[in-house]
Amino acid sequence: MRTQVGIIGAGPAGLVLAHLLARQGIESIVVENRSREYVEARIRAGILEQETAEMLVDTGVGERLQREGIRHDGIYLQWPGTRHHLDFPALCGRSVWVYGQTEVVKDLITERLGAGLPLYFEVSDTSVRDIDSNRPSIGFTDASGAAQTIACDVIVGADGFHGVSRPAIPDALRTTWQRDYPFSWLGILADVPPSTDDLIYAWHPNGFALHSMRSQKLSRLYLQVDPDENLDDWSDDRIWSELATRFEIDGWTLNEGPVLEKLLAPMRSFVSTPMRHGQLFLAGDAAHIVPATGAKGLNLAVADVRLLAKALTAYYDNGSTALLDAYPETALRNVWRKTHFSWWMTTMMHVHGDEFDQQLQLSQLRYVATSEAAARSLAENYTGLPLDEL
């Protein structure tokens, strides 16, 4: 097989890139080691920054987002006895959308397959070859067991933290930064209407809690727990009781209902450089991971490939390599901005350390609630700083 851009990974990064390239007439082939059913079902992020949502709508894959997504114009910050609302449009002129990553992926797969463009699921033995040359290639075994090779101009590794792309960069050239947080999230999906109009981020001495949603009928809620927690120790009744405790506020009641799913998610920050080696470019979780507190993971992956799509379009339009050469530095500035914001939200909202640390957290929360400048900074970062401002 021969194509212009070979893409490893059919998550949001790989699929958005393939979609943006197709709109510019640039050929690509996407390979994915999981099945279509698995990719469309895996639970991930659910908050879209305004630029991410607008991009999906403007490029023709936002019809369901507009119909089923939930626009949010702010969040609540809560600590015992206080729940404070941040008005995003008033603070920075932007909003966010609740629309699950699974739904974004479904929309992109439907669009690509409907257009008859190549997307291979359930591949194995994937490898990248000759990335230091002008004739790189991707090798893999397809679902039928046949060995395949894709010759391409450029390879984009969007195959996640455990993929083959990042390790293809020589160890001596790679630098990584990692922060493992001393807590995890216990998350549930509940068959009950949300108890709130906007997301609630709650600090409590027992630990952080988050009230989110997936639709007007489904609620998603999270509890901070120890990283070695066992899901079997958390009955539905125990979960609802702890959520009610951490969200308690006068005049408000938490809706309870059947728990459809439970999960445990570790919390960590991870950045790996370089994001380019030869003709191999990294995007999304292949290069970086952020804790979910800041709602940046999906949006950061999309930002990477928006930069790459622009750079590849310039290359194929007029032969210019300037944007491709600049990609590692340009993308990394955005990676560290979102990594910092995610770290800041995580360390402000999660109970850790001693009572001194807790008093610092409460002081920070009160400052954000009373300082317009501090509130605006949170709003700007949460809704997404425009790429051209980074």
Side-chain angles (χ1 to χ4, degrees), residues 6-18 155-163 165-166 169 270 272 274-277 280-289 297-309 312 327-328 331-332 335:
I7 301 172
I8 307 175
L15 291 170
V16 169
L17 177 61
I155 298 173
V156 176
D159 48 347
F161 181 80
H162 298 289
S165 298
R166 187 178 67 256
I169 299 175
F270 174 84
S272 179
M275 292 180 66
R276 175 188 185 178
H277 179 69
L280 170 66
F281 295 78
L282 301 183
D285 286 1
H288 43 72
I289 294 174
L298 167 63
N299 297 289
L300 185 49
V302 170
D304 287 346
V305 296
R306 286 176 59 207
L307 291 171
L308 265 180
L312 288 165
Y327 170 75
L332 200 59
V335 168

Side-chain angles (χ1 to χ4, degrees), residues 162-176:
H162 298 289
V164 302
S165 298
R166 187 178 67 256
I169 299 175
D171 289 347
L173 300 180
R174 277 190 281 130
T175 301
T176 61

Side-chain angles (χ1 to χ4, degrees), residues 269-340:
S269 299
F270 174 84
V271 179
S272 179
T273 60
M275 292 180 66
R276 175 188 185 178
H277 179 69
Q279 294 302 95
L280 170 66
F281 295 78
L282 301 183
D285 286 1
H288 43 72
I289 294 174
V290 291
T293 326
K296 296 295 108 181
L298 167 63
N299 297 289
L300 185 49
V302 170
D304 287 346
V305 296
R306 286 176 59 207
L307 291 171
L308 265 180
K310 183 177 181 181
L312 288 165
T313 299
Y315 173 70
Y316 284 111
D317 279 353
N318 55 40
S320 172
T321 64
L323 292 179
L324 283 175
D325 294 339
Y327 170 75
E329 181 180 349
T330 306
L332 200 59
R333 284 201 302 270
N334 187 43
V335 168
W336 279 116
R337 174 83 303 273
K338 286 180 165 56
T339 297
H340 177 269

Side-chain angles (χ1 to χ4, degrees), residues 110-223:
T110 298
E111 173 73 15
R112 184 165 183 85
L113 295 181
L117 299 175
L119 170 53
Y120 291 83
F121 290 105
E122 299 182 82
V123 309
S124 58
D125 303 319
T126 308
S127 62
V128 295
R129 307 165 181 169
D130 302 318
I131 57 177
D132 290 310
S133 75
N134 290 324
R135 299 179 64 84
S137 63
I138 300 171
F140 67 97
T141 302
D142 67 23
S144 71
Q148 303 285 357
T149 299
I150 306 171
C152 37
D153 302 326
V154 168
I155 298 173
V156 176
D159 48 347
F161 181 80
H162 298 289
V164 302
S165 298
R166 187 178 67 256
I169 299 175
D171 289 347
L173 300 180
R174 277 190 281 130
T175 301
T176 61
W177 296 264
Q178 184 161 328
R179 171 69 51 85
D180 293 309
Y181 298 94
F183 39 76
S184 295
W185 275 11
L186 189 163
I188 65 168
L189 182 67
D191 186 11
V192 61
S195 312
T196 177
D197 54 344
D198 281 330
L199 279 68
I200 305 171
Y201 285 74
W203 184 99
H204 190 275
N206 290 9
F208 169 70
L210 172 63
H211 190 320
S212 183
M213 64 280 294
R214 280 297 175 266
S215 71
Q216 300 291 1
K217 297 181 179 180
L218 294 175
S219 298
R220 182 165 285 285
L221 305 104
Y222 298 92
L223 290 167

